Amino acid sequence: MNIWLLHPFAGGPELGRHWRPFWLADAWGKMGHRVVVVSAAFHHLHRQPRVPGPQRINDVDFWFLDTPRYGIGSVGRLRNNLSFGPAVRLAAPAIAAQFGRPDLMIASSPHLFFISAAHQVARHFEARFWLEVRDLWPESIVALGMTPAWHPLMKVLEWKERSAYRAADHVICLLAGAEAHMRARGLPAGKFQWVPNGVSDDEIQSALTIENLGHPLIDRINLLKQQGRRVVLYAGGMGPPNAVEAILDAASILGDANYGIDFVMIGSGTSRAALKQRAALLANVEFHDEVDRSVVHRLLCAADCAVVAFHKNALYHHGISPNKLFDYCLFAPRSVIACEEQALAGLEDLVSARCAPDEPGALAACLRAALDGPARPRGERIAVARRYSYSTLAAKYLTHLRDQA
């Protein structure tokens, strides 16, 4: 079967974040399908712009579309987003000539501006059209306070969201509890499927030998532990969706109580400077720049515990599926999450402990209890991770086709 997977911000080796399209394509290729990932040649998550056209990256075929470059600011990024759909239409004949006409076209939606174009191209080729929903637009933007609900752009996105649900033959969502939201906006019954994020099979295998990797930050964590400190690691985005403020406030509580717990914060994001300022007087908190995935994994192994936090927000009642949660499970001896119980539905086996969101005292107590308790055996963590391996998820993804056969 020929599969076209459209994702404007697709990542992978030497590309940058958002590896899910790469891992799914790799797994489907090993299952015998022919897959091409169609993405933008330029976007803000790329390490560097790509040359438009076909490229093969670690046995996965990509086709990069010529999209306009932009700097800091929303206008240029919006222009880039709007250009992706027309670029898909323009490139479709060339992609089909090289990789074959699609039998299945999947549009993965970090934004909605290209969905109608993808649907039109799928219908032209008489292909099935599936929609993968990563975040709920425009609800995510509104619920996180990024744009008011009355904004004209939100009204446009709401219309596009409803149109996308009507157009799709099948909808895959990363959020376990999102079906009711979609049904209320026009998704017919029987079209919803939950497929969360996961971990690659290669990374599961690497969990057996990851201790051999060296890096200055690993040396730093080992030094702290040699000094009798226990190390809590946060590795991920530092922007509004992540309640990093709660982690810093929990660090302050634990520092004041002199429990000997240090926090190592790794990552980038729009809130990083403000977070560093918030933690400026905390002797048990240090910030470091973003590093490669393999280094993050080794750091998780070296730390005593990993932590992630979300704000209390009705948005998360639909569920969460952060990549870091799967990495934490596989590589960290303990992992703690601050979120509402409903948010974690379906993913409870990934974490060592959960506490209420936006309560630094509760998070501090949860971290201390986890650190005082036993580490989760590596064999148990690997067994859990295998349930979320991309070979398993890729097969689950296509079960709808087998059910219809």
Side-chain angles (χ1 to χ4, degrees), residues 27-41:
W28 287 329
K30 290 173 180 173
M31 292 167 61
H33 302 294
R34 190 175 190 185
V35 189
V36 58
V37 178
V38 181
S39 189

Side-chain angles (χ1 to χ4, degrees), residues 224-225 227-232 251 253-263 283-284 304 368 371-372:
L224 289 170
K225 294 173 72 173
Q227 295 170 348
R229 311 289 293 182
R230 289 175 292 178
V231 177
V232 174
I253 292 169
L254 293 169
D256 290 343
N258 198 27
Y259 284 125
I261 301 173
D262 282 345
F263 287 72
N284 64 334
D304 296 292
R368 188 184 175 200
L371 289 165
D372 289 343

Side-chain angles (χ1 to χ4, degrees), residues 116-364:
S116 60
H119 178 237
Q120 290 167 13
V121 172
R123 289 293 175 261
H124 171 76
F125 288 119
E126 299 181 336
R128 293 181 177 90
F129 178 67
W130 288 9
L131 175 67
E132 179 181 87
V133 177
R134 306 176 61 85
D135 298 293
L136 297 174
W137 303 112
E139 183 172 346
S140 296
I141 306 173
V142 174
L144 293 174
M146 300 168 70
T147 308
W150 55 259
H151 194 285
L153 181 58
M154 298 304 100
K155 298 301 182 183
V156 171
L157 288 176
E158 183 178 348
W159 174 78
K160 285 185 171 292
E161 178 191 29
R162 293 174 181 272
S163 297
Y165 296 151
R166 290 195 301 269
D169 299 313
H170 187 56
V171 173
I172 297 93
C173 186
L174 280 68
L175 310 175
E179 183 175 9
H181 168 90
M182 295 179 177
R183 292 285 301 276
R185 286 154 181 79
L187 180 70
K191 286 192 175 184
F192 178 89
Q193 183 182 8
W194 174 52
V195 181
N197 278 319
V199 291
S200 75
D201 296 80
D202 288 343
E203 288 178 344
I204 292 174
Q205 186 62 32
S206 77
L208 301 172
T209 58
I210 195 71
E211 288 87 351
N212 299 330
L213 180 68
H215 190 274
L217 278 179
I218 298 168
D219 296 338
R220 173 60 181 161
I221 288 178
N222 287 335
L223 176 61
L224 289 170
K225 294 173 72 173
Q226 289 166 14
Q227 295 170 348
R229 311 289 293 182
R230 289 175 292 178
V231 177
V232 174
L233 180 73
Y234 173 81
M238 297 188 183
N242 299 290
V244 182
E245 304 92 336
I247 298 173
L248 297 179
D249 292 346
S252 177
I253 292 169
L254 293 169
D256 290 343
N258 198 27
Y259 284 125
I261 301 173
D262 282 345
F263 287 72
V264 176
M265 316 291 292
I266 297 172
S268 60
T270 55
S271 303
R272 190 174 191 271
L275 292 167
K276 283 188 71 174
Q277 182 62 36
R278 188 187 189 107
L281 299 179
L282 300 181
N284 64 334
V285 175
E286 53 189 73
F287 282 76
H288 297 279
D289 292 336
E290 192 173 352
V291 293
D292 288 340
R293 284 183 60 82
S294 60
V295 177
V296 170
H297 295 162
R298 180 63 184 93
L299 293 171
L300 288 167
C301 287
D304 296 292
C305 183
V307 64
V308 61
F310 290 87
H311 293 294
K312 184 176 183 178
N313 192 310
L315 173 66
Y316 301 128
H317 293 173
H318 304 302
I320 57 174
S321 191
N323 284 307
K324 65 175 75 67
L325 207 58
F326 301 88
D327 294 335
Y328 284 8
C329 170
L330 179 57
F331 292 103
R334 303 168 184 84
S335 56
V336 169
I337 184 170
C339 71
E340 294 178 270
E341 184 176 4
Q342 189 175 353
L344 197 61
L347 301 176
E348 295 91 347
D349 55 352
L350 291 173
V351 300
S352 306
R354 183 199 66 84
C355 67
D358 295 326
E359 296 183 18
L363 179 55

